């Protein structure tokens, strides 16, 4: 049963601390996305990678957020230093870009629920 | 104008009825359209996607796309209490945004037994 996995599932931290979230995309998928969901903003894209290369990080606050893909099976999202306004659910999604681009889909992981006090 | 707009809801229908969820989008160049279901406290789950004008059916779900009107809808036939969730409409506009999914705010559906 192929699925996206994320760790940790829950994280409570204090303002100023570093937070690292990890994602394992579905095996064989070549595109990885980081989304953030809040009640106020809904689901918004932070960054995404294709074949491990960053393609778009325009939704990510550059001063404190960073996203990387050290290898094809691991994507990381770091917040340093964390702030209370970063409290949200962070979803990783993965997808495969097929020859027929119309068939492109994304599958979400279970999310990391982050609370910054 | 928001890029993707959905009926804010909540939408309430009786069990067995047809639930109709609507979505409009502003980018005329949008190419693919998705419906995700999200249960409270869970992650979005892909239900259907559509990219050609007309209807696409999958079991009790039918997605309808009208690019001229920039409108996409999801019909759920024979609604069940287990269909109670938030439904998210999303679009891809590859010319302007690559593989970025732009989501609407979601419509909360409640199916009453």
């Amino acid at each position: 049963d192929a699925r996206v996995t994320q760790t940790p599932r829950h994280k409570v931290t204090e303002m100023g601390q570093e937070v690292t979230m990890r994602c394992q995309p579905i095996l064989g998928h070549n595109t990885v996305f980081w989304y953030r969901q809040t009640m106020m903003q809904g689901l918004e894209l932070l960054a995404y990678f294709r074949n491990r290369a960053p393609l778009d990080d325009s939704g990510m606050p550059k001063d404190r957020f960073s996203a990387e893909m050290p290898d094809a099976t691991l994507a990381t999202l770091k917040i340093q230093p964390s702030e209370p306004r970063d409290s949200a659910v962070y979803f990783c999604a993965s997808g495969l870009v097929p020859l027929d681009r119309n068939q492109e889909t994304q599958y979400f992981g279970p999310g990391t629920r982050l609370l910054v006090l | 104008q928001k890029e993707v707009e959905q009926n804010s809801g909540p939408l309430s229908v009786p069990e067995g009825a047809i639930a109709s969820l609507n979505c409009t989008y502003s980018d005329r160049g949008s190419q693919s359209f998705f419906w995700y279901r999200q249960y409270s406290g869970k992650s979005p789950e892909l239900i259907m996607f559509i990219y050609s004008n007309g209807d696409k059916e999958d079991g009790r779900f039918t997605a309808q796309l009208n690019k001229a009107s920039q409108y996409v809808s999801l019909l759920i036939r024979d609604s069940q209490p287990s269909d109670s969730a938030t439904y998210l409409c999303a679009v891809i506009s590859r010319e302007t945004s690559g593989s970025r999914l732009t989501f609407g705010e979601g419509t909360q559906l409640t199916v009453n037994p």
Side-chain angles (χ1 to χ4, degrees):
Chain A
D1 184 22
R3 61 183 67 187
V4 178
T5 58
Q6 291 185 246
T7 57
R9 297 291 305 276
H10 302 272
K11 177 72 175 180
V12 180
T13 191
E14 293 187 345
M15 183 173 63
Q17 297 298 304
E18 178 178 300
V19 176
T20 298
M21 291 168 270
R22 294 177 175 81
C23 167
Q24 182 172 21
I26 294 172
L27 188 64
H29 280 190
N30 63 350
T31 310
V32 175
F33 305 82
W34 284 105
Y35 291 91
R36 177 171 62 183
Q37 187 174 39
T38 61
M39 289 294 292
M40 294 298 293
Q41 300 296 328
L43 256 177
E44 51 184 353
L45 180 73
L46 297 175
Y48 80 94
F49 297 78
R50 177 156 301 135
N51 298 322
R52 297 176 55 201
L55 286 192
D56 184 353
D57 63 359
S58 59
M60 201 165 66
K62 304 292 191 303
D63 56 338
R64 298 183 301 108
F65 285 60
S66 61
E68 295 179 346
M69 272 203 81
D71 61 60
T73 64
L74 176 65
T76 62
L77 179 66
K78 291 186 180 181
I79 309 174
Q80 170 62 22
S82 58
E83 298 181 0
R85 59 179 169 156
D86 301 329
S87 299
V89 182
Y90 291 81
F91 289 108
C92 174
S94 75
L96 179 64
V97 180
L99 289 176
D100 180 2
R101 292 294 303 273
N102 287 318
Q103 303 285 338
E104 182 177 358
T105 54
Q106 297 178 26
Y107 298 91
F108 281 73
T112 294
R113 192 172 296 270
L114 174 65
L115 177 61
V116 183
L117 301 174
Chain B
Q1 181 187 7
K2 294 179 182 176
E3 292 182 67
V4 179
E5 293 202 48
Q6 297 183 242
N7 300 69
S8 58
L11 176 65
S12 182
V13 300
E15 184 175 356
I18 295 175
S20 177
L21 303 156
N22 304 315
C23 175
T24 58
Y25 57 95
S26 61
D27 186 346
R28 191 169 286 278
S30 298
Q31 291 131 330
S32 297
F33 307 85
F34 303 81
W35 285 100
Y36 283 82
R37 177 177 63 197
Q38 188 174 24
Y39 292 114
S40 180
K42 302 295 185 181
S43 60
E45 174 192 7
L46 181 63
I47 298 176
M48 293 188 70
F49 67 95
I50 187 169
Y51 51 86
S52 298
N53 277 327
D55 295 358
K56 179 181 179 182
E57 187 174 317
D58 183 1
R60 296 186 296 111
F61 299 96
T62 299
Q64 299 175 317
L65 175 61
N66 184 327
K67 290 187 178 180
S69 301
Q70 296 175 235
Y71 174 92
V72 58
S73 65
L74 180 69
L75 301 178
I76 307 174
R77 290 183 301 280
D78 188 23
S79 295
Q80 301 297 307
S82 59
D83 295 325
S84 298
T86 296
Y87 289 80
L88 298 164
C89 172
V91 307
I92 280 183
S93 303
R94 292 191 185 87
E95 295 295 321
T96 54
S97 307
S99 293
R100 169 193 289 263
L101 272 177
T102 301
F103 284 87
E105 293 186 352
T107 299
Q108 186 178 341
L109 171 66
T110 300
V111 181
N112 301 303

